[in-house]
Amino acid sequence: SSGINAEWPLRPGWLNSITSVVNKYKPKILCIHCQEVGGKDFNISRTLVETFIEQFLSLQVMDEFDRGRIHLDNDSDDITVFTALGTLYMFHKSLPSIYSWDFIERNYKPVIDRQVFFQNFRESNCLLRIKYPKEYFPDERYSRKGYLHSRYLIGTK
């Protein structure tokens, strides 16, 4: 998802596509994984990312999703950890209890509302951000390559 940038011509299409997919397939769990959140110059696009999340959460189809976790890496000032990755997990109100794994306390915590971790990205214990070591890409400037890891429990499964 590299369309979140200063020009951002893809935003209306994305929001329309999300609405269409949710209306067509009626998912109980909606997962969106993003790369290059904020585009190539995150510091310029930061407010556009925030606006996108606000618009995403205010979509009429999102009324059916009463719980969720949104994690967007915004540590662009620290190239040793910045991945420019993001995840949006939304859970339908018809689902039973949802739990998110706390990687620090090593147990599941109830997901009872919607939480967005953007300005406070490092405060979430329910997500691991793994950045590949620089040795993997010795001939390039510091790479943002890595991955995000989260774990959810739905009901008792």
Side-chain angles (χ1 to χ4, degrees):
S1 303
S2 59
I4 299 179
N5 58 38
E7 294 80 40
W8 210 349
L10 301 177
R11 180 178 45 186
W14 284 2
L15 295 170
N16 290 337
S17 292
I18 292 167
T19 298
S20 295
V21 166
V22 170
N23 282 330
K24 181 176 181 179
Y25 295 104
K26 310 278 189 239
K28 301 299 181 196
I29 301 172
L30 179 65
C31 306
I32 300 175
H33 299 269
C34 306
Q35 63 185 36
E36 292 299 333
V37 172
K40 297 294 181 190
D41 192 343
F42 185 81
N43 291 321
I44 292 172
S45 304
R46 183 182 312 260
T47 57
L48 294 173
V49 174
E50 291 172 332
T51 300
F52 173 75
I53 295 304
E54 289 170 11
Q55 291 175 338
F56 168 76
L57 290 172
S58 67
L59 290 172
Q60 186 175 2
V61 294
M62 288 296 106
D63 291 346
E64 296 297 309
F65 296 85
D66 62 346
R67 293 158 289 169
R69 293 292 178 268
I70 297 175
H71 295 92
L72 300 166
D73 189 348
N74 72 341
D75 275 337
S76 62
D77 294 334
D78 186 350
I79 63 168
T80 64
V81 296
F82 184 54
T83 63
L85 298 174
T87 62
L88 294 81
Y89 288 93
M90 302 301 296
F91 303 99
H92 195 273
K93 61 186 177 185
S94 68
L95 288 172
S97 300
I98 307 291
Y99 301 91
S100 179
W101 181 255
D102 185 314
F103 288 95
I104 304 298
E105 295 184 19
R106 304 184 58 77
N107 59 25
Y108 282 101
K109 303 285 184 177
V111 176
I112 57 173
D113 58 6
R114 295 175 173 180
Q115 283 188 295
V116 178
F117 295 94
F118 182 62
Q119 297 301 340
N120 56 348
F121 183 78
R122 290 187 188 209
E123 292 178 14
S124 175
N125 294 340
C126 296
L127 182 83
L128 287 179
R129 171 180 49 179
I130 308 297
K131 184 167 176 176
Y132 297 123
K134 179 148 177 50
E135 300 82 53
Y136 286 15
F137 311 97
D139 298 331
E140 296 181 26
R141 65 177 171 78
Y142 223 106
S143 171
R144 295 192 289 225
K145 296 180 184 344
Y147 63 93
L148 301 178
H149 177 77
S150 58
R151 185 181 305 164
Y152 292 94
L153 176 67
I154 300 170
T156 57
K157 298 181 180 189

